[in-house]
Amino acid sequence: MSRKTFGVNMAKEYTPVDEVAWQQKWVDAKIFESQIRSNRPKFYCLEMYPYPSGKMHMGHVRNYSIGDAVARYKRMMGFDVLYPIGFDSFGMPAENAAKDEGGHPYDITERNMASITKQIKRMGFSYDWNRQLKSHDPRYYKWNQYFFIKFFEKGLAYREHAPVNWCVQCETVLANEQVKAGRCWRCNGPVNQKEMNQWFLDINQYAQELVDGLDTIAFPENVKSLQRDWLGRSEGAQISFKVADSESVIEVFTTRPDTLFGSTFVTLAPEHPMAEELVKGTDYEEAWKELYDEVSVLAEFDRIRNMKKKKGVPSGRFAIHPLTGEKIPIWIGNFVIASYGTGAVMAVPGHDERDFDFAKKFDIPIKRVLIMKEDGDPQAPLETAETEYGWMVNSPIEGFDGLYGEDGKRAITEALKSKGLGQQTINWKIRPWLVSRQRYWGTPIPIIHCDGCGVVPVPEQDLPVELPTDVEFGHGNPLETSESFLNVDCPKCSQPARRETDTMDTFVDSSWYFMRYTDPLNDEICFDPKIMNHFMNVDFYCGGIEHAQMHLIYARFYTKALRDLGLHSNDEPFNELLCQGMVNAPAPWCESCQLTFSVAHAGSPCPHCDSPLTERSAKMSKSLGNTVSPEHMVEKYGADTVRLFILFSANPTAGMDWSDSAIASNHRVMMQMATMPERLLEWSGGVSSMDTWMLARLKQRCTEFQQAMDHFDLRRAVEISHYDFIKDINWYIRRGGENPELGTKILDSWTHLVSVSTPHMAEEWWQTLGKEGLVCGTEMPLLPSITDEEQSALDCETLLRSVLDSARRIKDVAERHLDGPAQSAIIVVSPTWKRSMAVDALNFIEQGGSPKQFASHVSQMEIAQGERKGEIIGYWGKKMLPQVFKWDDDSRILIRSGLDEVEALTQRSSFIAQELGLQSVKVVLGESAEDETGRAGGSMPLAPSIVYA
RNA sequence: GCCGGGGUUCCCGAGCGGUCAAAGGGGGUGGACUCAAGAUCCUCUGCGUAAAGCUUCGCAGGUUCGAAUCCUGCCCCCGGCACCA
């Protein structure tokens, strides 16, 4: 009999060309347009909307392939899916292009959007394109301005003259989050400190809620950790040190009030306003000025690096210790950061490393006020700062010695509180969000500066404040060059006034776009709260880890802030976040230098050390030149193949290695898959006993698929739909199944599973099946659960396959012991006493019995009463005991079921003979009259011995 | 230094108390088919043996009848934060 498995002589090439036609049919049928239907659960699937560069890259393709599979799955399961797309279309690249090459950012952006849109559409993602939004559309940014005015009225938005981060190359200020290692996150250029009038959003008002909210949402641990770090909550005390002979008070923040008695000096940041005040006109002024000048010109990054070298100047003044009344010197030190806490610290050299270094250098007394062991010596000198929690000692005031850690902190804080010189407080690392940018291509800040009235918000009815077109791109803020924009009458007093020329950080745009998607065409209001509340929160949000702290904090903040404006009632925007892994590709790599090089070096020796280069996977990037163009891949293999490859080659969150051979092999799978409907529809056999098995398998696979998808385990889902299914069908055919009715049934369900990752091919299938409409617009009918009969069919085949497996494994070895090829085999099923021992043991242990105790049970067994006692007990301990725990649930059920292994295998013996290339296969019960092999000893329930002859 | 995430067989990666010598893929190997190549299908891919046994999931211990999986300590890698008071 010939094997009629699939894959031989493929009748049909899988052609990517048809994909575009199917995409058009989807559009015509409007099946991806979101609806709100009664009695349907909603599902909001979202990807981070892209910046419209001209080209789609693999990162986009991966991101959207993941999101699209989820959206399609949920749609197929009967959800009202909202799956929108748009463009984060404000931002500097377009403005820089305008500056460098001429043209207008608007035209450049629109052109890029058109081109990337085409490429995205070619992938066949199931977006509701009607909802497309773009940040640079006045209909959208009008609402940025609306919110800004509301925030301004509430005091959440404010203007302040403050030192800010200035990027020299981008000619604009940056938020703290946008400064990475002292450099601009976008251009990597140097960042300086500059004093300017700038707009801020007071995100700190929401800091606590932002921390607490993290416990309520399914974000990956690393993202939560990143956000907690960035928010930087730290509990401690604010303590007031009065300045001797002065009315001034220095406020310090500390997390260690328990060390207060060890404070032997106070240190101010050089920029601390009191520093100048204290030294003014004294001998110390010059030294302070020097330190100030040195420190303040440095970018924060360089400054922190220089902090290792402790520098300081005395102020010549003294502070009063709040509890002891002692006079302690006030110093000015380079290691204190003006912007953190209060910009001043109480220095405790005995129990803080920095203070210790400083005190050593300037010969300031070091006091021990904690001991690290309860019985430690309170007089022991301090060789280094002992910074751990300890027991308080040497307190000049009664009632503190002996207190440990938190108790000490509490006691000191209480004491301070009663004197009105301190209180418990929480300090945050996050600082108000600096939102103004001195650039053109962003949302104009809707503010008018009037000489008489001051800062006046643009009245609501005048919104949007649109970007003018009569601007020049050169140096500085282009908006400053538009007279028509600049000159405006004050809305309050009607006198000539001047418009604010700063625009908003583009992260403002991305902070609420997902809300706008729910009601994107509304011009009356930012979104109808009813619709918005229906679709929000986002159920599944997929994007890159690089947005873990900026976008994802700002968006959470905006959601809460807009909620408090009464615009909706959601606390958190995103229920579940998935950060997809990087797309990597091979790049030249030098093992000895540990360096990756551009593909230009492939085949050449290492430019540094001359040793030969090997290859290593590295993130696809322009600079390495190891990018792969999605466009070319789609052209060559079709969108379905690219999607299949991307989903199958790694879990969504794992890094993924691009491989030319792997995508080629996925394409082969697609070609094979393409032939499936014809092949199954060609079946012409009748009903067979294998039909029950196949049907059961179909049900099983559908269930597994759903479980995988529900956990966003897309790799596993694709594996089931595109790999495991073929194996199952091959097995069915191999076992003689060829029932056309069943073939149709399989295809009915299978097409749905296939449509999740390779939707175009699924439509081809659907058509071949002669079905109405489009599979992508059809819900998947759920199959009934597996019946007992079906379960037993599954079990018998499982037994068969496991017997075949072990028979194959042994065969070669056996034949070495025989004189030639094996002619026949005897399958020796385990004797009945083994099965009853197994059943008893399973029952015993499942009722909570310990395996050790079961041994006495074994010795009670009938078979163990005679001379075989030792053998039986030994068998239990050595063989059965470990095996009892190895059987999975299905096997346990099977063992208890009374399945007759002899019968099941006898029925299948001719198939076994055929598979093993034997003339005959006989099945006998071990230790029975038929068993002449004497080889039943090694047998186990479900694992018979096989004796070749 | 602190906070997160990791270290699995030739490679990539799943597993996270017994179904584990450990999924899946890649690579390698042998075979079927073919005039041939490609494609496809099947076998093998820790040592070992007529099924045993042994060794293996970063290292060293521990808990357990049983550990890749749980606990303790250590080493290393990645990401973030960082004289943050």
Side-chain angles (χ1 to χ4, degrees):
Chain A
M1 181 177 128
S2 72
R3 279 190 187 168
K4 285 209 253 167
T5 47
F6 292 123
V8 190
N9 298 329
M10 275 167 299
K12 186 172 175 180
E13 266 288 291
Y14 184 68
T15 48
V17 185
D18 303 338
E19 292 179 343
V20 177
W22 287 116
Q23 287 158 11
Q24 191 54 49
K25 285 186 183 157
W26 292 332
V27 172
D28 294 344
K30 301 177 191 285
I31 54 180
F32 302 140
E33 294 181 15
S34 315
Q35 310 170 52
I36 300 180
R37 295 172 291 185
S38 55
N39 302 325
R40 301 258 177 170
K42 67 91 190 179
F43 191 89
Y44 189 171
C45 181
L46 183 69
E47 295 137 9
M48 292 178 185
Y49 74 155
Y51 178 82
S53 58
K55 287 219 183 275
M56 176 177 72
H57 56 69
M58 273 303 168
H60 292 128
V61 176
R62 186 167 189 205
N63 191 175
Y64 309 153
S65 297
I66 293 166
D68 187 56
V70 170
R72 285 178 183 272
Y73 169 68
K74 291 291 175 182
R75 218 175 271 123
M76 167 176 119
M77 297 306 285
F79 287 78
D80 277 342
V81 171
L82 172 59
Y83 184 45
I85 183 147
F87 292 99
D88 186 12
S89 49
F90 265 144
M92 297 214 304
E95 188 170 342
N96 290 342
K99 207 162 127 183
D100 298 344
E101 298 150 29
H104 192 280
Y106 177 86
D107 301 321
I108 295 168
T109 301
E110 288 284 335
R111 194 183 62 218
N112 284 343
M113 264 176 55
S115 125
I116 197 171
T117 298
K118 201 175 154 200
Q119 294 176 22
I120 291 174
K121 285 191 170 172
R122 179 61 188 83
M123 291 301 298
F125 299 127
S126 60
Y127 296 120
D128 180 353
W129 283 95
N130 292 335
R131 290 173 184 261
Q132 180 189 336
L133 62 78
K134 39 189 190 179
S135 309
H136 75 279
D137 183 348
R139 285 175 68 188
Y140 181 73
Y141 70 70
K142 169 185 174 179
W143 301 107
N144 286 345
Q145 296 172 337
Y146 173 82
F147 301 145
F148 191 90
I149 290 167
K150 293 290 166 195
F151 290 163
F152 178 74
E153 288 165 0
K154 279 189 74 179
L156 195 59
Y158 62 92
R159 199 160 97 117
E160 198 176 74
H161 189 70
V164 294
N165 307 301
W166 177 262
C167 173
V168 182
Q169 281 178 37
C170 298
E171 294 183 276
T172 186
V173 298
L174 300 172
N176 292 313
E177 290 82 348
Q178 292 167 340
V179 182
K180 301 277 162 190
R183 295 189 162 263
C184 172
W185 70 298
R186 188 176 277 290
C187 73
N188 205 29
V191 173
N192 291 347
Q193 299 290 301
K194 203 169 171 179
E195 295 256 334
M196 290 175 81
N197 248 325
Q198 295 292 313
W199 287 96
F200 293 87
L201 295 183
D202 193 6
I203 194 169
N204 289 49
Q205 290 183 25
Y206 288 89
Q208 187 63 53
E209 208 193 325
L210 287 167
V211 171
D212 294 342
L214 290 173
D215 295 330
T216 67
I217 48 179
F219 278 23
E221 265 323 304
N222 56 340
V223 173
K224 288 188 182 184
S225 156
L226 243 48
Q227 296 211 350
R228 284 196 191 99
D229 270 0
W230 197 263
L231 291 158
R233 184 182 195 275
S234 93
E235 273 182 39
Q238 180 146 334
I239 303 177
S240 313
F241 283 75
K242 287 185 176 148
V243 178
D245 312 316
S246 157
E247 293 301 300
S248 305
V249 174
I250 298 171
E251 299 286 346
V252 307
F253 173 77
T254 179
T255 54
R256 293 298 300 274
D258 57 319
T259 64
L260 177 59
F261 290 130
S263 178
T264 52
F265 58 107
V266 169
T267 316
L268 301 178
E271 306 96 318
H272 195 288
M274 283 183 66
E276 185 172 4
E277 191 183 311
L278 291 175
V279 297
K280 197 113 200 147
T282 72
D283 295 347
Y284 304 103
E285 184 174 358
E286 200 176 321
W288 162 76
K289 186 75 181 129
E290 213 171 280
L291 183 66
Y292 177 89
D293 288 344
E294 181 188 329
V295 155
S296 59
V297 289
L298 286 178
E300 198 159 317
F301 181 68
D302 297 321
R303 178 170 166 195
I304 285 168
R305 272 203 319 213
N306 285 337
M307 281 180 190
K308 289 235 158 54
K309 280 182 244 138
K310 294 285 173 296
K311 286 185 186 168
V313 293
S315 69
R317 303 288 293 272
F318 291 85
I320 310 290
H321 191 288
L323 291 185
T324 65
E326 205 181 338
K327 277 172 102 182
I328 55 175
I330 300 170
W331 283 73
I332 296 156
N334 68 333
F335 69 96
V336 181
I337 299 170
S339 52
Y340 184 77
T342 60
V345 297
M346 65 176 215
V348 183
H351 304 285
D352 181 285
E353 281 170 32
R354 295 151 299 175
D355 299 343
F356 186 87
D357 292 348
F358 196 86
K360 278 273 176 208
K361 182 158 181 184
F362 297 105
D363 215 15
I364 303 169
I366 298 169
K367 276 189 193 169
R368 174 186 286 281
V369 295
L370 293 175
I371 45 176
M372 296 298 123
K373 287 184 184 149
E374 206 166 1
D375 55 355
D377 175 10
Q379 304 313 324
L382 286 148
E383 302 301 330
T384 55
E386 296 182 3
T387 59
E388 306 287 299
Y389 277 180
W391 287 265
M392 290 178 70
V393 290
N394 303 328
S395 309
I397 300 174
E398 287 283 311
F400 292 100
D401 279 359
L403 294 177
Y404 178 85
E406 297 297 337
D407 294 337
K409 290 184 181 180
R410 211 171 299 121
I412 293 281
T413 310
E414 284 305 311
L416 287 166
K417 206 172 165 188
S418 64
K419 294 186 99 175
L421 290 173
Q423 61 188 346
Q424 203 193 334
T425 176
I426 291 159
N427 196 48
W428 297 91
K429 203 172 66 169
I430 192 164
R431 287 177 244 168
W433 175 12
L434 198 170
V435 289
S436 43
R437 296 289 178 277
Q438 290 68 49
R439 300 290 297 209
Y440 170 79
W441 197 228
T443 305
I445 291 178
I447 291 291
I448 293 166
H449 298 282
C450 168
D451 288 339
C453 310
V455 172
V456 182
V458 173
E460 238 174 273
Q461 65 273 13
D462 293 346
L463 297 181
V465 175
E466 291 199 38
L467 284 169
T469 48
D470 56 339
V471 289
E472 283 169 36
F473 297 98
H475 284 293
N477 184 348
L479 284 176
E480 313 259 7
T481 67
S482 167
E483 293 298 320
S484 66
F485 179 79
L486 282 173
N487 298 318
V488 64
D489 290 340
C490 170
K492 266 194 189 163
C493 68
S494 305
Q495 293 300 304
R498 190 171 182 276
R499 236 184 242 289
E500 171 68 59
T501 54
D502 283 356
T503 53
M504 296 183 203
D505 184 355
T506 54
F507 277 105
V508 167
D509 309 323
S510 54
S511 289
W512 74 285
Y513 75 102
F514 43 89
M515 303 187 214
R516 179 69 177 173
Y517 274 144
T518 63
D519 191 16
L521 305 176
N522 201 329
D523 285 325
E524 305 302 311
I525 186 170
C526 50
F527 40 75
D528 181 327
K530 259 168 66 190
I531 301 174
M532 189 279 191
N533 287 331
H534 172 80
F535 278 118
M536 288 292 286
N537 310 347
V538 174
D539 294 279
F540 179 77
Y541 194 30
C542 183
I545 184 76
E546 67 273 17
H547 292 112
Q549 75 233 106
M550 288 194 269
H551 163 57
L552 287 170
I553 287 187
Y554 296 146
R556 293 182 58 225
F557 159 62
Y558 250 74
T559 302
K560 293 168 194 296
L562 297 192
R563 174 201 62 196
D564 291 347
L565 293 179
L567 295 170
H568 67 84
S569 54
N570 291 273
D571 296 329
E572 287 286 345
F574 316 119
N575 274 343
E576 177 147 13
L577 172 71
L578 184 143
C579 294
Q580 94 262 15
M582 301 267 170
V583 183
N584 305 313
W589 162 258
C590 175
E591 192 64 47
S592 49
C593 303
Q594 299 276 299
L595 284 174
T596 312
F597 295 96
S598 147
V599 290
H601 290 90
S604 326
C606 172
H608 297 320
C609 71
D610 242 24
S611 52
L613 294 176
T614 54
E615 271 198 343
R616 199 189 207 197
S617 191
K619 187 191 172 185
M620 272 189 195
S621 70
K622 269 190 200 154
S623 55
L624 290 178
N626 61 345
T627 55
V628 175
S629 150
E631 254 185 308
H632 291 157
M633 289 298 135
V634 169
E635 215 171 278
K636 190 165 173 191
Y637 297 114
D640 274 350
T641 299
V642 173
R643 291 162 62 139
L644 177 71
F645 166 64
I646 279 182
L647 294 176
F648 183 60
S649 55
N651 269 332
T653 54
M656 176 197 135
D657 289 340
W658 184 270
S659 146
D660 292 333
S661 62
I663 191 170
S665 111
N666 277 282
H667 187 238
R668 295 196 292 268
V669 169
M670 287 301 287
M671 293 201 289
Q672 187 190 358
M673 290 283 285
T675 65
M676 286 297 166
E678 277 99 339
R679 289 177 172 270
L680 265 65
L681 293 173
E682 267 167 22
W683 282 351
S684 56
V687 175
S688 81
S689 58
M690 278 305 286
D691 295 355
T692 318
W693 178 85
M694 188 64 234
L695 183 61
R697 202 65 164 163
L698 175 68
K699 292 177 177 178
Q700 219 176 23
R701 292 300 192 199
C702 288
T703 310
E704 283 178 47
F705 183 85
Q706 284 174 42
Q707 281 167 356
M709 285 305 299
D710 289 339
H711 290 99
F712 307 121
D713 186 352
L714 306 189
R715 213 206 75 88
R716 176 64 191 134
V718 167
E719 187 175 16
I720 293 164
S721 59
H722 287 70
Y723 292 81
D724 290 348
F725 243 104
I726 299 182
K727 291 184 194 165
D728 291 337
I729 291 168
N730 277 341
W731 179 254
Y732 172 68
I733 295 168
R734 220 159 129 186
R735 296 280 287 116
E738 210 189 345
N739 180 352
E741 229 172 280
L742 186 55
T744 312
K745 200 161 184 164
I746 293 167
L747 287 167
D748 265 4
S749 298
W750 193 11
T751 310
H752 282 100
L753 307 195
V754 162
S755 77
V756 166
S757 50
T758 54
H760 308 90
M761 188 180 70
E763 296 296 358
E764 297 276 345
W765 283 27
W766 205 240
Q767 192 176 51
T768 309
L769 289 178
K771 296 279 191 180
E772 290 286 310
L774 297 158
V775 66
C776 295
T778 314
E779 275 174 47
M780 181 167 85
L782 293 179
L783 297 170
S785 47
I786 291 176
T787 63
D788 291 349
E789 189 198 350
E790 287 165 354
Q791 186 58 51
S792 133
L794 286 172
D795 294 343
C796 291
E797 289 300 300
T798 308
L799 175 67
L800 168 67
R801 294 177 84 158
S802 98
V803 168
L804 269 178
D805 262 9
S806 50
R808 279 207 191 92
R809 235 179 299 129
I810 304 158
K811 194 167 173 243
D812 281 354
V813 197
E815 283 177 342
R816 264 185 265 145
H817 289 250
L818 300 169
D819 281 339
Q823 303 291 317
S824 64
I826 301 172
I827 297 175
V828 186
V829 171
S830 75
T832 39
W833 65 264
K834 289 189 183 174
R835 182 176 285 258
S836 54
M837 180 193 276
V839 172
D840 286 354
L842 286 172
N843 290 338
F844 186 81
I845 285 154
E846 273 169 32
Q847 281 159 24
S850 129
K852 278 176 170 170
Q853 294 160 359
F854 190 72
S856 63
H857 232 84
V858 172
S859 53
Q860 306 289 310
M861 284 180 73
E862 200 182 321
I863 189 132
Q865 297 318 306
E867 57 190 20
R868 299 187 66 185
K869 183 162 188 165
E871 179 200 342
I872 302 294
I873 290 175
Y875 181 82
W876 160 251
K878 239 186 144 184
K879 297 278 187 179
M880 187 66 91
L881 173 60
Q883 186 58 48
V884 162
F885 293 100
K886 284 187 187 169
W887 282 313
D888 60 22
D889 290 348
D890 289 345
S891 305
R892 288 177 188 205
I893 291 165
L894 203 48
I895 285 165
R896 289 178 170 141
S897 70
L899 165 85
D900 187 337
E901 287 183 50
V902 177
E903 192 193 328
L905 291 171
T906 305
Q907 275 170 9
R908 291 164 175 77
S909 58
S910 61
F911 179 73
I912 297 173
Q914 172 203 321
E915 285 292 306
L916 296 174
L918 300 172
Q919 273 150 30
S920 71
V921 166
K922 195 177 156 196
V923 185
V924 298
L925 180 64
E927 299 180 5
S928 69
E930 286 85 51
D931 178 18
E932 295 163 353
T933 62
R935 299 284 287 280
S939 66
M940 272 278 190
L942 307 185
S945 296
I946 294 145
V947 183
Y948 285 101

